[in-house]
Amino acid sequence: MVKDAPIGVFDSGVGGLSVLDEIQQLLPHESLLYVADCGHIPYGEKTPAFIRERSRLVAEFFRAQGAKAFVIACNTATVAAVADLRQDYPDWPLVGMEPAVKPAAAATRSGVVGVLATTGTLQSAKFAALLDRFATDVRVITQPCPGLVELIETGDLDSPALRQLLQGYIEPLLSAGCDTIILGCTHYPFLKPLLAQMLPPSIILIDTGAAVARQLKRLLGERELLALGDPEPAQFWTSGDVYHLRNILPTLWKHSGVVRSFGS
Ligand code: DGL
């Protein structure tokens, strides 16, 4: 692997752009590749076997592009596929992500933590293990959020439909006394401005994008693979509508970018 090889970042859709942004801020010399599997959204309602197959396809694509590292910028794909991918590519730096239970348990003062995530993440054995490990002294209220990802994918982050759906998902957390809410899906950080209007200001929101970027930096540093020169512009692929992603990219990524079709 060479230092100036790109890093592959993957999500079921546009959610991973929230992670891509953190990576670009922390590692401005890195060239970034991004695959959005928008043609198969939402992963939250798919079987782990299906998600593993899609994740492996994307991993192979990034290998063919010469990527020096692979970031699964998706909680749902991580719980389904990360163990298999680590076995398949033992020498490839690979970063997955999981809901930030440990920092949330440390942050709560009420002792009640809420988790917004996909059905797939919340039902996984990996998430159960995370609770067993880090949430022994707090009460955790989990809230699956079907439909939310599809609305975020439209790129309209302030629609009445989105507000209404979100309201229904945060209400049970607030009535249970949560003072800390984990955004356990990479799509949800895009809801922060809306959540700031809908939640009391004392509520702490926790997501993991910045921690993932730090972990990536650590892994690359250990292997002396951190890029030093000028990066290539970020490149994007989608298995969904290329024009749609191109149109909403400036809203979600703050820049425009070349978007190509990710076949199959
Ligand atoms: N962005 C993904 C995550 O972090 C899930 C989106 C989906 O359901 O496809 O879990």
Side-chain angles (χ1 to χ4, degrees):
M1 291 290 176
V2 286
K3 287 183 201 294
D4 57 2
I7 295 165
V9 181
F10 159 58
D11 180 41
S12 61
V14 298
L17 295 171
S18 63
V19 181
L20 194 73
D21 186 45
E22 300 283 358
I23 294 173
Q24 199 189 37
Q25 283 185 46
L26 189 70
L27 300 167
H29 295 290
E30 302 294 341
S31 302
L32 303 171
L33 313 178
Y34 185 92
V35 170
D37 197 11
C38 301
H40 298 94
I41 206 112
Y43 276 11
E45 311 298 321
K46 300 278 191 305
T47 65
F50 177 83
I51 298 169
R52 273 196 288 278
E53 193 186 307
R54 297 302 300 171
S55 304
R56 189 168 286 133
L57 209 66
V58 175
E60 278 303 311
F61 173 75
F62 284 147
R63 299 283 289 188
Q65 300 285 323
K68 66 182 176 185
F70 183 28
V71 179
I72 309 175
C74 175
N75 295 261
T76 315
T78 299
V79 298
V82 76
D84 283 25
L85 291 170
R86 285 195 202 285
Q87 258 184 8
D88 292 348
Y89 309 103
D91 300 323
W92 200 26
L94 203 159
V95 183
M97 58 198 308
E98 56 194 17
V101 175
K102 189 181 175 189
T108 181
R109 292 166 312 273
S110 70
V112 191
V113 168
V115 189
L116 299 173
T118 67
T119 309
T121 297
L122 296 176
Q123 283 179 350
S124 68
K126 215 167 168 3
F127 180 68
L130 205 59
L131 293 187
D132 282 347
R133 187 149 173 231
F134 296 118
T136 39
D137 296 331
V138 295
R139 207 170 135 224
V140 176
I141 313 290
T142 57
Q143 177 62 59
C145 306
L148 213 50
V149 159
E150 292 93 316
L151 288 177
I152 295 166
E153 287 282 320
T154 66
D156 182 352
L157 302 175
D158 196 16
S159 67
L162 185 58
R163 253 174 209 274
Q164 199 187 350
L165 193 63
L166 193 54
Q167 189 63 44
Y169 291 147
I170 59 177
E171 249 160 33
L173 305 186
L174 295 178
S175 26
C178 296
D179 67 347
T180 304
I181 297 178
I182 299 172
L183 303 178
C185 166
T186 52
H187 281 72
Y188 305 164
F190 291 120
L191 299 176
K192 280 182 185 170
L194 191 54
L195 284 167
Q197 295 169 33
M198 297 168 71
L199 291 169
S202 58
I203 301 283
I204 302 167
L205 296 176
I206 298 192
D207 66 271
T208 25
V212 164
R214 287 195 298 274
Q215 167 72 349
L216 175 65
K217 184 175 181 183
R218 201 178 59 75
L219 287 184
L220 293 176
E222 275 171 12
R223 291 165 174 77
E224 298 189 11
L225 279 176
L226 285 164
L228 302 168
D230 289 335
E232 299 291 329
Q235 300 181 64
F236 300 85
W237 287 264
T238 176
S239 58
D241 184 343
V242 168
Y243 298 99
H244 177 63
L245 183 56
R246 198 173 287 159
N247 282 339
I248 63 172
L249 210 50
T251 308
L252 300 175
W253 165 243
K254 299 184 217 108
H255 318 278
S256 48
V258 176
V259 182
R260 299 190 186 89
S261 176
F262 182 75
S264 74

